[in-house]
Amino acid sequence: MKFCSNCGTKEPVFKIPKGDNRPRFICHNCDTIHYTNPNIITGCLPIWEDKVLLCKRSIEPRLGYWNVPSGFMENGETVEDGAKREVWEEAEAKVEIIGTHALFSIPRINQVYVHFLGNLIDGQYGVGEESLETELFMEEEIPWEGIAFHSSIFTLKRFFDDRKNGTRKVHIGGYLQ
Ligand SMILES: [Zn+2]
């Protein structure tokens, strides 16, 4: 951090605040402690009959790879509304959320994924701005080598396992390398 975002003073110091247990950037002028915390990425796996809807990314990172519609949660929205918004932005599709499916942490890059399952309303979808194409896949058609992120592989594998076993759970996982 180069400047205090509160008062503009240069070079906040990186040290452990009184009563805390880890270093933070602290402004030596206005004493503001600049906390940073993980980002939430919210998304939803849209389901239609025996298929799931994936989006091929038109943006970096992982441009050209398939993904469960997901993106950074915005201020002022609930995590489920954020998931629905992402499905609309990436796939021009509407979903009815049917449950929480996966919580997936990536501590190395300070990200937490929340993935829901949702019924694709009327089976309708298009191609949003952040996608090159969108497609409904049966399990055996999933392009496993071309999936964008560990979180999406986790979500898809657990979804198909649950479906095979007739179960539905909230799956907790992470990428810890
Ligand atoms: Zn300051």
Side-chain angles (χ1 to χ4, degrees):
M1 180 173 272
K2 291 217 165 84
F3 294 93
C4 171
S5 56
N6 186 48
C7 73
T9 298
K10 272 189 191 168
E11 290 167 10
V13 241
F14 195 59
K15 65 172 189 188
I16 301 176
K18 212 175 165 192
D20 204 340
N21 55 21
R22 63 188 67 208
R24 323 271 183 188
F25 283 102
I26 305 172
C27 177
H28 48 82
N29 179 49
C30 72
D31 295 331
T32 297
I33 303 168
H34 297 276
Y35 294 96
T36 60
N37 298 96
N39 290 307
I40 294 174
I41 292 143
T42 182
C44 177
L45 182 65
I47 303 160
W48 177 250
E49 295 170 345
D50 56 350
K51 296 177 179 152
V52 295
L53 184 67
L54 299 179
C55 303
K56 189 185 260 191
R57 293 171 61 79
S58 69
I59 50 172
E60 294 289 359
R62 306 297 269 169
L63 191 153
Y65 284 77
W66 293 93
N67 199 29
V68 173
S70 317
F72 288 105
M73 189 175 167
E74 300 285 2
N75 293 337
E77 69 182 1
T78 64
V79 70
E80 63 274 23
D81 283 346
K84 288 189 207 169
R85 176 182 53 71
E86 288 293 336
V87 172
W88 177 255
E89 287 175 2
E90 296 184 9
E92 295 179 349
K94 292 194 169 154
V95 282
E96 178 199 16
I97 301 255
I98 53 178
T100 311
H101 178 60
L103 303 175
F104 192 86
S105 299
I106 313 180
R108 185 175 58 80
I109 50 174
N110 307 317
Q111 292 183 344
V112 178
Y113 281 79
V114 180
H115 274 163
F116 297 94
L117 298 180
N119 287 321
L120 182 59
I121 294 171
D122 299 328
Q124 298 282 318
Y125 62 98
V127 181
E129 282 228 327
E130 295 176 2
S131 303
L132 293 170
E133 53 181 305
T134 55
E135 197 175 322
L136 286 168
F137 292 93
M138 297 207 290
E139 180 177 6
E140 51 275 21
E141 299 167 338
I142 298 279
W144 292 107
E145 297 303 310
I147 302 292
F149 302 114
H150 295 283
S151 55
S152 284
I153 293 173
F154 181 84
T155 278
L156 286 165
K157 288 208 185 285
R158 297 306 182 284
F159 170 74
F160 292 121
D161 284 351
D162 277 351
R163 200 174 61 176
K164 233 167 270 155
N165 300 328
T167 54
R168 218 189 73 206
K169 300 180 229 174
V170 178
H171 300 276
I172 297 172
Y175 187 67
L176 303 177
Q177 292 173 25

